[in-house]
Amino acid sequence: MKNFVNLNVNPCNMCMPMGAAGVFKGIEGTMVLMHGSQGCSTYIRRHIATHYNEPIDIASSSLNEKGTVYGGSENLKKALKNVIKLYGPKVIGVTTTCLAETIGEDIRRIIDEFFLEEKIVGVECVAVSSPGYGGSHYRGHYYTARKVLEHFAKTGGKSDKINVIVGCMSPGDIRHLKEILDLYELEYTLFPDISETLDGGYHREYDRLPEGGTPVAELKAMGKARATIEFGAMVSEADSPGEYLKAAFGVPLYRLPLPVGIEHTDQLMETLTILSGRDMPEKLEKERARFLDAMIDSHKYSAEGHLSVFGDPESVYAITALGLENGFKMCVAGSGPASEKLIPALKALETEYGTVFIKLEDTDFETIAGHVTETGTDLLVGSSDGAFMTEKYGIPLIRTGFPVHDRIGAQRKIMIGYFGSMQLLDEMTNTVLAEKHDHFRKHLFTEYGQAKEG
Amino acid sequence: MNINLLEERKNSVMCNARDDARHIECGKNSAAGSVSQRACVYCGARVVLNPITDAYHIVHGPIGCSAYTWDIRGSLSSGSEVYRNSFSTDLREKDIIFGGEKKLAAAIDEIAETYSPKVIFVYSTCVVGIIGDDIDAVCKSAEERTGVRVIPVRSTGFAGNKASGYRAACDAIMDLIGDAERPEKPSGINFLGDFNLAGEMWIVKSYLTQIGITINTAITGDSSYESLKRAPGAELNIVQCAGSMHYLARLMEEKFGIPFISVSFCGVEDTSASLRTIAKLVGDSETIAKTEAFITEKAEEAERLIAPYRKRLSGKHAAIYVGGGFKAISLIKQFNDLGIKTVVVGTQTGREEEYETIKSLTDEGTIILDDSNPFELEAFIKEKKADILVGGVKERPLAYKLGVAFLDHNHERKHPLGGFVGALNFAEEADLSLLSPVWRHVKKDRGETDEKLCQLEC
Ligand code: SF4
């Protein structure tokens, strides 16, 4: 769904290893190593670093011409050795990038050889084949999470815990989600958990491998859980980590959309009630009531807004729902990453709210921007990559999702749950209000005042 | 140095000692697993060519390479904004299997039909080098078909490092300039190796105008297809970012007989010296006199404004980790000017002679690094007790986590660090970070007493 057939003009997505890196950053004591050329890891580090404002050490096997011609096993082995020496990780997440994949590297074999040769114990190594051309960062996230579980979760059984598999949520969102789970007094394993690793505090001693992340022991036990909640309603079954646990060990799976907006959050709460046997805790009841009250307070203002949303399929779907719930005129919902489920899901929203808007997946910013201007959008919600539309057309942008390069604090922004949805909704409505208040005198004068004089 | 270095890195890390005649090992491929801060060949080429404002940049490769390099640099334009777009052939699995030549040809046609481009650059990326797409041939036939200049950039990502990318870009620029005849009476100078970040090229241009010298073509800051074609008409090439443009200067000398000199407009000292040299080479006695007067006025003004910062900052210690050697050298001088001693200095792609200069400019005991990594930077910043790190985007969070001030010297900067005004901005930024009240709280948190407190209050 692009204006050009053979070109992507101004990408609205990133590549698979980016998603893989995010997952590995959510496992305790893990160092990421990309098998391929030096550039990929450096780009990805740069992107992550400006978004989270945290040091991001990702190693590369720095494949060069020689390695490319004769195979990269020497480079990869050296890299593993050096990573162990410099970082002493518990886990090494090895991903491929385009180069290694194109020359047909068998990374599992190389890794196993290395561990035998060097007699290394006490380090786990997960291998994921994630060429950039294989898909978006979005797909890379779920695909890698699935591969990690295939590696660690090898047995079924019984435990009281539930699994919570998160998609591309901010560390702030994840911390908030944990609070919600705690209120239901559930025992859970949350994966991948970047809530501390990518949004850590200042400490006297800097730790190269920051604290936090899902512990390996917990990953290993995920096949035993009594249920899985997976935030990923737009991802294919084949890439879904929860589907793996379900197929392999019969763990019941609840696949939910991002809990943004009242309906999606209700859906989460209902699921938590089923799993915990508890009614909605009083604190959340109050948050829900307050959110609904906020929606009523702002519905007339938001209804004046013409909203376009872009980003990955989950956030596009969820924020579109939030907007529609409160009466925004929906203009464009565009996902850079491909997703077969997105368009049908958006169509269902159209039917539910009796409206039509532009729906795009596997698209680029050139296409999105074209529709944004055509439809008279006056409010954008998405990553900072869309900021050029503010610069060019003067349309305000509320920054959410990944990446946000030009503002501080994206890593702690909360948009999930009743509380987070309310914050985002307020921000959206206020932007519409600000535009109106800043310009209404001038508009009215141009419209009527001038005419009178003439 | 009691830091546990990787075996492969031992000869690329030096402690400055006068009686140590060893040369630092540089220009090598990065050690596997060392977490180098370098990018790739493609990135090097893109950095150099991107500021050509009316060029269409097609990245022939998978989407990531294009996504991570889209409009992330602060090069400014006085005309076209086309360069701020990122076009990609977005290669997918099937293209990797069946080849991407057809897609590339069709992509070029789409651009040629939709816009009226003067020049299209086609960058090769890692996979393109492997799947064997012949981008030279595709570009050539596209030129014949469309009548548009379509120039291949041989920037396959694994074939060397960032510096190889600079060379690939220079070759592409030579390709663009073509076989133009050198005029009988060349005039003006070409300014190589400034990318007009935060308008820095404009600043230098205005200095030169004031002393009566014109820039013929800037390469590549705020340049265009037409302006680059005019490049052979200059009587002198001045080269700033030597790492990227020394090679082009040599090519232009060979082909058009244009002599070149190295310059730097970083800091008062280098800016003054560079203006002086240029005036001597291309100006008459009047120009030289004008230049002296200009420098005196500007340097005095800068000194007056910078002096208060010196008072506040002198005695501090700096660590430097930047891309090229020329920048590191200028930064050492600028810190010196502020009374700040450089205790750690490294670059991603410095050259041997630049490291020699660095050695001569710094004290014994200074740590010198080529193609360093976060592990070493952390260790040496701590060991040498640096108060401030100057570097790029990736280094910033590390500095902050170590509780150290930071000065952004990256390609995204939004305020100029070049020329006299840049020297002042530099001092101001160092001051803002070094003497920020935030460190008081950090010190308190660390249980250290704050001797800076009184300095702040007086
Ligand atoms: S698309 Fe491929 S080559 Fe480009 S950055 Fe991503 S993994 Fe690396």
Side-chain angles (χ1 to χ4, degrees), chain B residues 97-120:
Chain B
I97 299 168
F98 299 111
E101 290 184 9
K102 280 211 185 84
K103 198 170 187 189
L104 174 60
I108 297 170
D109 289 348
E110 279 195 89
I111 290 190
E113 281 157 23
T114 317
Y115 312 99
S116 34
K118 292 203 182 95
V119 59
I120 299 172

Side-chain angles (χ1 to χ4, degrees), chain A residues 15 17 40 43 97-98 131-133, chain B residues 62-65 68 126:
Chain A
C15 64
C40 314
Y43 291 146
T97 65
C98 293
Y133 55 73
Chain B
I63 200 63
C65 312
Y68 305 132
C126 295

Side-chain angles (χ1 to χ4, degrees), chain A residues 6 10 42 45 202 204, chain B residues 37-38 86 110 445-446:
Chain A
N6 297 289
N10 301 334
T42 301
R45 287 175 63 202
Y202 174 80
R204 286 184 188 195
Chain B
Q37 309 285 91
R38 279 182 188 162
S86 204
E110 279 195 89
D445 195 77
R446 301 176 72 95

Side-chain angles (χ1 to χ4, degrees), chain A residues 14-18 34 37 39-41 43-44 96-99 130-133, chain B residues 61-66 68 125-127:
Chain A
M14 289 148 278
C15 64
M16 257 177 111
M18 171 70 86
M34 293 187 176
S37 67
C40 314
S41 74
Y43 291 146
I44 288 170
T96 53
T97 65
C98 293
L99 182 58
S130 57
Y133 55 73
Chain B
I63 200 63
C65 312
S66 163
Y68 305 132
T125 58
C126 295
V127 280

